[in-house]
Amino acid sequence: MAGEQMKPVASLLLVLNFCMYVIVLGIAGWAMNRAIDHGFLIGPDFNLPAHFSPIYFPMGNAATGFFVTFALLAGVVGAASTISGLSHIRSWTVGSLPAAATAATIAWTLTLLAMGFAWKEIEISRRNAKLRTMEAFLIILSVTQLLYIAAVHGVRRPT
């Protein structure tokens, strides 16, 4: 399959990935807000906890802070990459391919990084349902974003 046949596939994957990145942003934003509101305070009369992490989250485990931080980054970059993706799908030319493919690849690598922390969080265990949902979305996004990258390369050079 090449040329115009990949355009509907790329469009579908772009919309699907955008929706999933927005959901990831919503859950990660909730987790970050909760960590800021309910994190611990260290004052002059307090000692550091035995297992102190500079990224402390009251829910989840030791990997949660890193997972949420990189999920936020992946979500923002992934959602923003849809702008160049929409432009590429609209024109569907070789000239619009580099911007769309580059933005999608950067979003995919950040998604893979967040997915790695998701696997670590799963391995450690003890997390709530919202974090498990975000883990599932990032694992699915790591596959669908790669499929989208392959689909946008379906543009044929003019002969």
Side-chain angles (χ1 to χ4, degrees), residues 64-79:
T64 301
F66 300 101
F67 170 58
V68 171
T69 301
F70 285 103
L72 274 171
L73 288 171
V76 168
V77 174

Side-chain angles (χ1 to χ4, degrees), residues 45-101:
D45 299 333
F46 298 105
N47 292 324
L48 289 175
H51 297 288
F52 175 71
S53 171
I55 303 176
Y56 174 76
F57 279 71
M59 74 299 234
N61 53 47
T64 301
F66 300 101
F67 170 58
V68 171
T69 301
F70 285 103
L72 274 171
L73 288 171
V76 168
V77 174
S81 74
T82 61
I83 295 168
S84 60
L86 286 172
S87 175
H88 173 61
I89 288 175
R90 248 189 26 237
S91 62
W92 202 251
T93 63
V94 174
S96 64
L97 174 63

